[in-house]
């Protein structure tokens, strides 16, 4: 029952975050988003899931996803919360050395430092087993040398460092890659020589920019490696499961914001002497959108509770399902909200048009709905693979 009923503490956290987020104007420029991030960090919202020993709130992904959902519902979602505290902070907290924890976690927790995450590659797409970014040892110094490319990496320009996913060069085949993914995670400071970035020209107008990264024999000290070189998938999914849970919360928040705007409009907009919300053609789709968002929230809460309880396998299944359900619910809620407002839904005044493209982010990133269906059909239902 703990996954169904929120504690009084969690309800209070929701109310506090909601009040805070609604007290700030909608962030439409990078400077506004950065200010909102810093204020949230001062209040402990950014680091709510990180260990208290390093300045965090001592909570888990449950609390962090709740924070992001309420920010989204107030019209101020922070995309980098999915990346900096949820992925990078979690991985470092679980697998980092004491020095890495001391160096990075306090700043990530209070919002003064930001970390990006680099996994996606141009030729790999959703197939992480095709990652070609390699890390090899310099026998003379013990340093690591990283070479490769990454694409669609968020916020690299504002991040102090990027957590890069590569693989050790010793695990290789004639084709230059391994059939068994053995990822290694490296902290790459923003100004490291050989670490180059190129901003991608996106039609999605978000305050966080997207980048292509090039690593050309980037030299890193031995202690840039996070965790064990042989830990493989355990360390990677320590970050990817929270990423899916947080993306679900991101989508639910956006969906709730859009639905609230539509409901306000449907209650007030009067045609032929009756508010349009009285008509079932308007009311029923909005009711269905609300139901879908609430169901998505339940699965997101289940996934977060499983992860915080240490059930990585159970959390993996639930996190994928939550991300799928929330992505679909978000897109439908935004679409129905715009449809409810008609032409007004495309004006800046009501702030819904920009969500049409933003909502699809929750549907296609960080993993497409088709790959989630593959996961569920293979891992949950036991059906054979077609690839």
């Amino acid at each position: 029952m703990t996954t169904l009923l929120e504690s009084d503490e969690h309800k209070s956290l929701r109310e506090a975050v909601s009040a805070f987020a609604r007290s700030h104007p909608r962030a439409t420029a990078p400077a506004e988003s950065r200010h909102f991030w810093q204020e949230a960090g001062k209040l402990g919202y950014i680091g709510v899931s990180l260990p208290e020993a390093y300045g965090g709130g001592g909570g888990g992904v449950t609390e962090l996803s709740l924070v992001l959902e309420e920010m989204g519902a107030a019209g101020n979602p922070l995309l980098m919360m999915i990346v900096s505290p949820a992925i990078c902070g979690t991985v470092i907290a679980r697998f980092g050395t004491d020095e890495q924890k001391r160096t990075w976690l306090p700043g990530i927790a209070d919002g003064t430092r930001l970390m990006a995450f680099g996994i996606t590659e141009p030729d790999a797409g959703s197939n992480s087993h095709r990652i070609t970014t390699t890390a090899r040892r310099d026998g003379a110094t013990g340093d690591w040398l990283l070479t490769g490319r990454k694409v669609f990496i968020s916020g690299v320009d504002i991040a102090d460092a990027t957590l890069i996913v590569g693989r050790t060069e010793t695990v290789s085949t004639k084709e230059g890659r391994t059939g068994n993914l053995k990822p290694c995670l490296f902290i790459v400071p923003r100004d490291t020589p050989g670490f180059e970035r190129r901003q991608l020209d996106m039609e999605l107008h978000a305050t966080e920019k997207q980048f292509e990264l090039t690593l050309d024999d980037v030299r890193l000290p031995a202690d840039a490696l996070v965790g064990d070189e042989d830990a493989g998938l355990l360390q990677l999914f320590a970050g990817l499961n929270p990423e899916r849970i947080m993306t679900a919360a991101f989508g639910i928040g956006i969906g709730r914001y859009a639905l609230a705007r539509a409901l306000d409009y449907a209650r007030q907009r009067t045609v032929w002497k009756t508010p349009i919300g009285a008509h079932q053609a308007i009311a029923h789709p909005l009711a269905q959108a609300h139901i879908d968002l609430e169901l998505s929230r339940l699965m997101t809460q289940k996934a977060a509770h499983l992860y915080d309880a240490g059930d990585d396998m159970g959390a993996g299944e639930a996190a994928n399902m939550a991300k799928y359900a929330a992505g679909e619910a978000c897109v439908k809620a935004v679409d129905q909200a715009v449809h409810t407002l008609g032409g007004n839904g495309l004006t800046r005044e009501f702030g819904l048009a920009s969500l049409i493209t933003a909502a699809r982010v929750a549907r296609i990133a960080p993993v497409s709905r088709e790959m989630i269906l593959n996961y569920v059909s293979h891992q949950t239902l036991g059906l054979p693979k077609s690839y």
Side-chain angles (χ1 to χ4, degrees):
M1 292 298 292
T2 56
T3 60
L4 298 178
L5 302 177
E6 284 192 340
S7 66
D8 290 340
E9 183 179 358
H10 285 167
K11 291 176 183 177
S12 297
L13 179 59
R14 277 192 186 276
E15 292 172 1
V17 175
S18 178
F20 162 71
R22 293 178 192 280
S23 69
H24 285 71
R26 242 182 125 194
T28 58
E32 295 170 339
S33 181
R34 185 63 176 166
H35 174 72
F36 183 57
W37 178 279
Q38 291 169 341
E39 292 300 306
K42 291 177 183 176
L43 292 173
Y45 295 143
I46 302 297
V48 68
S49 64
L50 298 176
E52 290 181 286
Y54 299 98
V61 175
T62 299
E63 288 77 16
L64 191 64
S65 61
L66 183 157
V67 168
L68 181 57
E69 181 192 334
E70 290 303 320
M71 288 180 172
N76 271 315
L78 288 173
L79 176 64
M80 291 304 290
M81 281 190 67
I82 301 174
V83 181
S84 191
I87 301 175
C88 302
T90 298
V91 169
I92 292 173
R94 283 188 63 174
F95 301 105
T97 63
D98 290 341
E99 180 60 28
Q100 288 168 344
K101 293 175 184 178
R102 286 193 296 268
T103 299
W104 291 102
L105 292 184
I108 292 176
D110 67 17
T112 58
R113 305 193 82 178
L114 202 67
M115 190 174 285
F117 179 65
I119 182 171
T120 305
E121 296 188 356
D123 298 322
S126 297
N127 186 357
S128 298
H129 292 272
R130 291 182 61 88
I131 286 177
T132 58
T133 297
T134 57
R136 69 181 190 277
R137 288 274 196 184
D138 182 335
T141 64
D143 290 348
W144 289 99
L145 295 171
L146 267 64
T147 299
R149 291 172 64 204
K150 301 291 180 182
V151 71
F152 296 118
I153 310 304
S154 303
V156 181
D157 58 328
I158 58 175
D160 298 277
T162 302
L163 187 63
I164 294 288
V165 181
R167 63 178 181 84
T168 54
E169 196 173 51
T170 54
V171 184
S172 60
T173 67
K174 292 184 296 183
E175 292 78 21
R177 62 180 64 92
T178 176
N180 297 311
L181 179 62
K182 184 184 174 184
C184 292
L185 304 167
F186 297 89
I187 298 173
V188 183
R190 179 172 55 195
D191 297 326
T192 302
F195 183 49
E196 304 293 336
R197 65 178 185 267
R198 179 180 69 85
Q199 184 175 328
L200 297 175
D201 187 14
M202 307 289 290
E203 285 202 18
L204 172 64
H205 296 293
T207 57
E208 300 86 2
K209 307 306 178 185
Q210 301 292 312
F211 293 87
E212 179 181 21
L213 306 180
T214 303
L215 298 95
D216 184 10
D217 269 354
V218 171
R219 181 175 291 274
L220 299 170
D223 60 8
L225 175 69
V226 179
D228 190 337
E229 183 181 345
D230 297 315
L233 287 172
L234 174 63
Q235 291 175 176
L236 181 58
F237 281 98
L240 295 188
N241 284 336
E243 179 184 38
R244 284 153 172 72
I245 295 167
M246 291 291 286
T247 302
F250 179 82
I252 294 167
I254 289 177
R256 285 177 54 198
Y257 176 82
L259 183 60
R261 303 288 79 70
L263 292 174
D264 287 342
Y265 190 85
R267 293 186 188 107
Q268 298 173 21
R269 173 67 169 165
T270 300
V271 179
W272 294 299
K273 300 180 181 180
T274 305
I276 62 173
H279 301 299
Q280 292 175 350
I282 298 294
H284 285 187
L286 294 176
Q288 186 174 14
H290 173 71
I291 290 170
D292 290 342
L293 288 168
E294 286 297 299
L295 291 174
S296 301
R297 180 196 279 179
L298 284 174
M299 182 54 78
T300 302
Q301 289 175 330
K302 176 181 179 180
H305 279 289
L306 287 171
Y307 185 84
D308 290 339
D311 185 354
D312 288 328
M313 290 297 294
E317 178 184 69
N320 275 290
M321 291 181 179
K323 190 270 172 189
Y324 179 95
E328 298 301 298
C330 176
V331 169
K332 292 176 182 176
V334 170
D335 181 72
Q336 191 57 47
V338 172
H339 197 66
T340 299
L341 272 68
N344 283 326
L346 300 176
T347 64
R348 288 187 185 276
E349 177 185 356
F350 290 92
L352 291 177
S354 62
L355 298 183
I356 296 173
T357 48
R360 298 202 73 87
V361 173
R363 203 182 207 184
I364 64 175
V367 58
S368 70
R369 59 180 179 171
E370 288 75 20
M371 288 305 296
I372 291 178
L373 292 174
N374 281 337
Y375 178 93
V376 173
S377 61
H378 304 152
Q379 301 296 324
T380 303
L381 305 182
L383 294 173
K385 287 186 177 182
S386 62
Y387 56 90

